[in-house]
Amino acid sequence: MTTPEPPDGATFRTLEEQLRGALLRPGEEGYDDARSVWNARVDREPAAVARCAGTADVIAAVDAAREHDLRVSVKGGGHHVSGSAVRDDGLVLDLGPMDAVRVDPDARRARVQAGATWGDVDHETQAFGLAVPGGQDPNIGVAGLTLGGGVGWLSRKYGLTSDNLVSADVVTADGELVHASADEHPELFWALRGGGGTVGVVTSFEFQLHPVGPEIFAGSLIYPFEDAPEVARQYRSFAADAPREARLLFGTMELPAKSYYPEALHDARAAMIIAFYAGPPAEGRPVLAPLREAGDPLLDSLRGRQYTAFQRAGDSQGAMRTSLRSQYLASLPDAAVETIVEHAGDAPSAGATVFVSPRGGAETEPAPDATAYPHRDAAHHVLIEARWDDPARDDEHVAWTRELHDALAPYTTGDVALNFLAADEPAERVRAAYGDNYDRLVAVRDAWDPDHLFQRIPDAEPPG
């Protein structure tokens, strides 16, 4: 039996000759950019990064990794919380150059390469007044969001991103290209819709499109921070009976000194409701009117606007150090609101935010085992996030997100969204992300990747 060659020298020279894209190694120009992700706290050093220019490059890289016993991770848009796209000493398949989007407006289908972002998708689909439920930040990668489920402004109306996946092209651990759909390799297709992409490298996605925009009705209602408890109750009351076209966020954040915010709130923490109506402004205006009539907002920016412009408003402004926790609440009792407000008032910096959103409508209609995404109960999702620049302030930001997360524990369901898992999550939280679909996902993974070449589903017994 021969010993696998170390990941250098001839191994990478051979792979480099097979690639149309670049192969980047430590110390080479572009390597540090290629190994970077949205969460700047992630600082891992892969043995090499293959900048794949097409499917043939992906196949060549997978073959080389399998032959030389290199673990593989895959980077799409690079908008990562945990940094799972980058593995120390492994081979990163960077699909960023593969960002083409092709729209068939008659069939209402879009074929999207795995390196595209939601900004790329929205730009192409909105030319035809169409959209797929996607991320609320144009920089979010299509691949990661889809494979982990995917929730956005359109999800209550049209379902999760993964619910709108029609088919996918996948390079398997054997270096074969297969097409997965409801009719072809249905178990593989099931796993791709919310299982986290642990069974192969998806090179392109086919999505169902829906009529959206170009103009929708959306905006923010902004209040003084001391009004936060009442604003939360207003959000809770409206969300309980809201039509599926309407999606809300309740939250708190520090507002920058920008001309479009009231001067009294410049560099001050505020409470807010962000509201979106997935339909024409003439329909959305009366539906969201009760929100506008309650309370006394300092700013009301609800109006008709371009869908693409509203999507761009969620731009997360590039890489920063990030600590994040998320969880689901079956309801939003006053005690949970008080906990959120208390901790938000002690936020360590301007980049520390808390946002709550309702789960319901089309995103909760499928059965929990209809796709790999298991969390189909109506609930409220709480996202606690801190972003900052100074490494010396890591501890205080991490402590703040964890303390608020732990303080909300009495109100949580125990479910965890896979796309919001951080790198330092305890094992039971990681396991909970797969819910009751865990065993089936492991079986699919073992069938398609028996040697665990790709980033693996955690091998763990269900919690007792």
Side-chain angles (χ1 to χ4, degrees):
M1 179 177 177
T2 60
T3 301
E5 186 176 1
D8 54 20
T11 301
F12 285 146
R13 283 197 297 273
T14 300
L15 176 57
E16 194 167 26
E17 291 170 357
Q18 295 174 324
L19 296 178
R20 182 158 60 94
L23 184 70
L24 305 174
R25 281 162 281 186
E28 295 182 345
E29 183 178 358
Y31 171 83
D32 283 337
D33 286 341
R35 70 185 182 91
S36 299
V37 294
W38 176 77
N39 184 355
R41 290 175 65 210
V42 176
D43 185 17
R44 299 177 187 149
E45 296 191 0
V49 179
R51 294 269 292 163
C52 299
T55 300
D57 283 2
V58 175
I59 293 172
V62 168
D63 285 343
R66 185 182 62 254
E67 180 179 351
H68 297 286
D69 197 25
L70 290 170
R71 289 292 178 247
V72 171
S73 61
V74 184
K75 179 181 175 183
H79 197 278
H80 282 253
V81 176
S82 68
S84 60
V86 184
R87 302 183 71 169
D88 282 325
D89 303 320
L91 178 62
V92 175
L93 276 58
D94 182 359
L95 308 187
M98 300 169 57
D99 62 357
V101 179
R102 181 172 60 83
V103 178
D104 182 340
D106 294 328
R108 292 186 176 174
R109 294 287 190 270
R111 174 66 66 175
V112 182
Q113 285 189 304
T117 66
W118 286 107
D120 298 327
V121 174
D122 291 339
H123 177 76
E124 297 296 329
T125 61
Q126 278 293 283
F128 307 98
L130 299 170
V132 62
Q136 294 170 197
D137 179 338
N139 301 309
I140 292 175
V142 169
L145 189 80
T146 303
L147 295 171
V151 177
W153 292 113
L154 299 173
S155 294
R156 283 174 54 84
K157 175 67 172 175
Y158 295 120
L160 302 178
T161 308
S162 56
D163 294 335
N164 288 272
L165 184 64
V166 177
S167 69
D169 291 334
V170 186
V171 175
T172 70
D174 291 333
E176 299 294 326
L177 178 67
V178 301
H179 189 70
S181 69
D183 299 319
E184 300 177 76
H185 305 298
E187 275 295 280
L188 176 62
F189 183 58
W190 175 87
L192 295 175
R193 289 175 292 161
T198 57
V199 291
V201 183
V202 178
T203 58
S204 69
F205 301 82
E206 182 187 9
F207 291 109
Q208 179 182 356
L209 298 174
H210 303 277
V212 176
E215 194 176 34
I216 48 83
F217 191 76
S220 301
L221 299 166
I222 299 179
Y223 307 80
F225 179 69
E226 55 266 27
D227 291 350
E230 181 55 37
V231 176
R233 287 189 284 270
Q234 182 180 333
Y235 151 86
R236 184 178 63 195
S237 175
F238 185 89
D241 299 311
R244 62 180 53 204
E245 290 82 4
R247 186 166 189 265
L248 307 183
L249 295 180
F250 156 72
T252 77
M253 63 178 292
E254 186 172 310
L255 301 180
K258 301 290 187 180
S259 60
Y260 43 81
Y261 290 127
E263 188 172 347
L265 291 177
H266 285 183
D267 299 320
R269 189 155 294 274
M272 65 182 62
I273 291 175
I274 305 174
F276 176 93
Y277 184 84
E283 294 180 7
R285 187 172 289 105
V287 171
L288 297 181
L291 281 173
R292 314 176 82 175
E293 294 163 0
D296 187 18
L298 297 176
L299 176 69
D300 178 347
S301 68
L302 285 169
R303 58 181 173 82
R305 60 181 79 215
Q306 295 291 305
Y307 174 71
T308 51
F310 190 69
Q311 287 284 81
R312 287 195 298 271
D315 192 328
S316 59
Q317 306 298 319
M320 294 179 68
R321 305 183 75 78
T322 303
S323 178
L324 185 150
R325 284 290 190 271
S326 81
Q327 51 197 331
Y328 293 107
L329 280 62
S331 62
L332 189 64
D334 287 346
V337 171
E338 291 168 4
T339 299
I340 291 171
V341 173
E342 177 185 354
H343 284 76
D346 292 329
S349 68
T353 63
V354 187
F355 279 98
V356 183
S357 58
R359 298 289 315 284
E363 62 189 298
T364 56
E365 285 181 344
D369 62 353
T371 67
Y373 184 88
H375 310 303
R376 298 295 188 169
D377 293 331
H380 296 270
H381 181 253
V382 181
L383 182 63
I384 307 160
E385 183 178 335
R387 307 198 76 209
W388 68 99
D389 291 316
D390 185 359
R393 301 192 66 189
D394 283 5
D395 289 348
E396 62 181 304
H397 286 86
V398 171
W400 180 78
T401 57
R402 289 180 177 174
E403 286 168 5
L404 176 49
H405 173 269
D406 292 345
L408 288 172
Y411 316 106
T412 63
T413 65
D415 292 338
V416 182
L418 184 62
N419 279 339
F420 291 117
L421 282 177
D424 57 352
E425 302 275 9
E428 62 270 18
R429 287 257 301 167
V430 178
R431 170 64 179 78
Y434 303 95
D436 290 338
N437 290 335
Y438 172 83
D439 289 338
R440 185 175 173 185
L441 272 168
V442 169
V444 177
R445 187 272 312 272
D446 289 347
W448 287 93
D449 183 17
D451 295 323
H452 302 174
L453 179 69
F454 303 116
Q455 190 84 327
R456 65 182 63 188
I457 299 170
D459 293 311
E461 292 298 322

